Every structure is written in structure tokens, then in C-alpha cells.
Amino acid sequence: MMNWGKGIIGGMVLFMIYIISMCVCMFMVPDDGYDHQYYEKGLNFNKDYNKEQQVQRDHAQPLIEVAGKTVSITFSKPASGTIKFIRPANAALDNVIKLDSIRGKRMSIPVQNMIIGRWQLVLNWESNHKAYLYQQEIYIK
């Protein structure tokens, strides 16, 4: 025979099973993709935006040519900084190259070790004491 005490205990047991199963489900769900660098990126956004606008103001957009297994970059003035090859499909393939075209305005980069396909090229350089940032998508064959 069932009395009200057994019903309360049964209800509490069911509720505890429900709570425990929700905790297990919560830990089994994949990440929400939250960017832990969000705040720092927000603070640096204005710096990057100003660098991109400086390219427009000074008409300093570099000429980027992909010929075979070589990427050639021609600057309007000698420059120093970094070049990032970002692979949208796989961040493990990203590559950073030091940029130094002080001797001339043109720089050739061999890319025979890079995978064929679409790459995002991010140029971050200084020239005549001004900072610049330029991005362009390229296709390596």
C-alpha cells in the first residue's frame, strides 16, 4: 500500500534524477564558441581601423601578385613589419613571415610548401614612421 510519505520520497528521487541528468547533459554539450579574447580585440579594433584608414589616406595599397609558387608584394615605399598567411579552413596552417623591404620596394615570398587553395593575406607594416594594415584574399595554385 502507498502512503503520502512514499509519494514524497518518490517525487524527490525523480527530481534528483532529473537534476543530475541535466548536469550531465550540460557538461556533454560542445563549447559555445565564446571568444576569450573578445575584450582585448575590442580595445585593439580602433588601432587596426586607423592603420587600415592610413593605407587609404596615403594611397599605400601594396600590389600583390601570385605567380606559380611565388607571391610578390610591391610597396609604394620601403617597409618593415609582418605578413600573415591565414588559412580559413585550418588555423594550424597559418604562417607569419617577417617583412623587410628596406633595400627595395618589392618582396618575393616562395610558397611552395603551402597548401594549394584560398588564403587570407594580412600585411602589417611601418613605412616613414606610419603604421599600416592591409588584408587581401589570395589563391595559391
Side-chain angles (χ1 to χ4, degrees):
M1 179 165 198
M2 186 145 161
N3 61 20
W4 62 272
K6 290 180 184 176
I8 290 176
I9 298 297
M12 286 176 52
V13 169
L14 289 175
F15 181 71
M16 291 297 287
I17 290 172
Y18 172 75
I19 294 297
I20 291 170
S21 65
M22 287 295 110
C23 289
V24 169
C25 288
M26 181 180 71
F27 287 110
M28 300 289 280
V29 174
D31 301 10
D32 60 357
Y34 171 71
D35 188 2
H36 297 284
Q37 305 293 317
Y38 179 78
Y39 183 71
E40 288 81 9
K41 286 180 182 178
L43 292 175
N44 291 327
F45 177 78
N46 284 342
K47 292 178 187 175
D48 290 344
Y49 179 76
N50 290 337
K51 288 180 184 180
E52 289 175 345
Q53 291 304 308
Q54 192 67 43
V55 171
Q56 300 297 322
R57 283 191 294 268
D58 293 348
H59 304 289
Q61 180 176 339
L63 176 64
I64 300 171
E65 299 169 325
V66 180
K69 290 291 185 177
T70 304
V71 175
S72 298
I73 303 171
T74 307
F75 294 94
S76 59
K77 296 176 183 172
S80 64
T82 60
I83 302 171
K84 290 182 186 176
F85 285 87
I86 299 173
R87 180 75 173 180
N90 186 355
L93 298 174
D94 292 358
N95 193 6
V96 178
I97 298 173
K98 185 175 179 179
L99 165 66
D100 188 10
S101 71
I102 299 301
R103 293 187 256 354
K105 297 178 186 177
R106 186 176 179 94
M107 185 172 182
S108 295
I109 303 163
V111 291
Q112 65 266 15
N113 295 336
M114 293 187 184
I115 294 176
I116 295 172
R118 188 170 58 103
W119 290 82
Q120 184 73 25
L121 195 63
V122 179
L123 302 162
N124 194 352
W125 78 96
E126 280 191 26
S127 183
N128 285 346
H129 306 292
K130 291 183 182 178
Y132 298 98
L133 179 68
Y134 181 73
Q135 300 181 29
Q136 181 174 328
E137 188 174 288
I138 61 171
Y139 190 85
I140 296 177
K141 298 177 184 177

